[in-house]
Amino acid sequence: MPAKLIDGKAVAAQLRASLAPRVARLAARGVRPALAAVLVGDDPASQLYVRNKVRACADTGVRSEVHAFPADAGATALADRIERLNADERVHGIIVQLPLPPALDAARLLASISPAKDVDGFHAQNLGALLQGRPRFVPGTPAGVLRLIEHAGVPIAGRRAVVIGRSTIVGKPTALLLLQRDATVTLCHSKTPDLAPLAREADILVVAAGRAKLVGRAMVKPGACVIDVGINRAADGKVVGDVDFDAVREVAGWLTPVPGGVGPMTVAMLIANTVEAAERTLD
Ligand code: NAD
């Protein structure tokens, strides 16, 4: 039997709808949640991602503002803007769309965002809280991955989970979240020799390497839950994940499509974090 597809678009729409009563409760107390996105340069992919976030905000009743800077913007101008946004009571969440032009120090800029407004969850304080098992703002993609696994009803506690990819924004936090749910987690990366037998042990396989068709049928345990985070541009211009979809569909128990899997969840979790940031100002 082919794998059940996990529909990220539908789960993300449900999540956004579930935010409506929270946004209404905030409105009743005179608060409109707001997200500020800092966008530097004219990379079309970054512009598209920011447009998607702005649209998702509008759908959810969250106010958004885009702070666009030219590609040659100086670090001081950006730091000044972040400082202003940190102090602005009408702004609850601040994100810096990555990647930044190479001349800018992304880590430094991200560190200047107030942890209470860091709705991308990339600040060391928020990543540290996640490591300690008391997460505050969890990065959207890993949080979305967990939400999809839970939505599918796939058991996590006591199961073997393998995460391929160890970036700070996807692989590492995903591994931590699975560990927190009592999975036994293996974190693989580009220096892992002989990936296939490790991947084949996984009841839950999360692939976030950015390599089209990295995971084929032989790397998947029959019945496993396979979450494909990858976004790659195929030779024909189509967007594909890291998993050989048609082949793995024949063997996996559950599978996320690309597009329409993890991507929509990333944005929905960001909006959820923004609403939460606004709620915290009333605590
Ligand atoms: P990254 O380049 O920072 O990290 C990639 C990781 O994969 C590294 O840890 C590397 O060691 C590992 N890797 C690379 N080749 C490998 C191989 N052959 N075998 C094993 N491990 C290998 O990328 P990232 O930011 O973590 O993103 C990963 C992928 O997920 C990209 O395709 C990116 O576009 C996508 N992504 C999707 C979303 C979404 O919302 N769907 C969000 C963020 C990233």
Side-chain angles (χ1 to χ4, degrees), residues 39-43 68-79 99-105:
L39 172 64
V40 186
D42 44 19
D43 173 43
F69 287 82
D72 60 358
T76 312
L78 289 167
L100 287 175
L104 290 166
D105 182 345

Side-chain angles (χ1 to χ4, degrees), residues 49 141 145 162-167 170-171 174 188-190 195 199 205-220 226-234 238-249 255-263:
Y49 289 142
T141 303
V145 166
V162 172
V163 179
I164 303 179
R166 60 171 160 185
S167 73
V170 187
T174 301
C188 302
H189 47 81
S190 54
L195 194 59
L205 180 62
V206 181
V207 195
R211 301 276 180 276
K213 297 206 174 172
L214 175 66
V215 170
R217 187 190 170 112
M219 285 173 71
V220 175
V226 181
I227 306 289
D228 189 353
V229 183
I231 300 177
N232 309 288
R233 187 69 67 177
K238 270 174 48 184
V239 172
V240 297
D242 289 353
V243 173
D244 184 344
F245 183 84
D246 293 331
V248 168
R249 196 176 179 185
L255 178 59
T256 58
V258 176
V262 175

Side-chain angles (χ1 to χ4, degrees), residues 122-166:
F122 296 158
H123 193 285
Q125 266 191 37
N126 286 320
L127 288 170
L130 174 61
L131 180 71
Q132 289 178 328
R134 43 176 195 84
R136 182 167 44 179
F137 294 125
V138 176
T141 303
V145 166
L146 261 286
R147 204 47 95 91
L148 289 178
I149 297 169
E150 285 167 351
H151 176 86
V154 174
I156 302 176
R159 302 303 162 110
R160 291 292 307 265
V162 172
V163 179
I164 303 179
R166 60 171 160 185

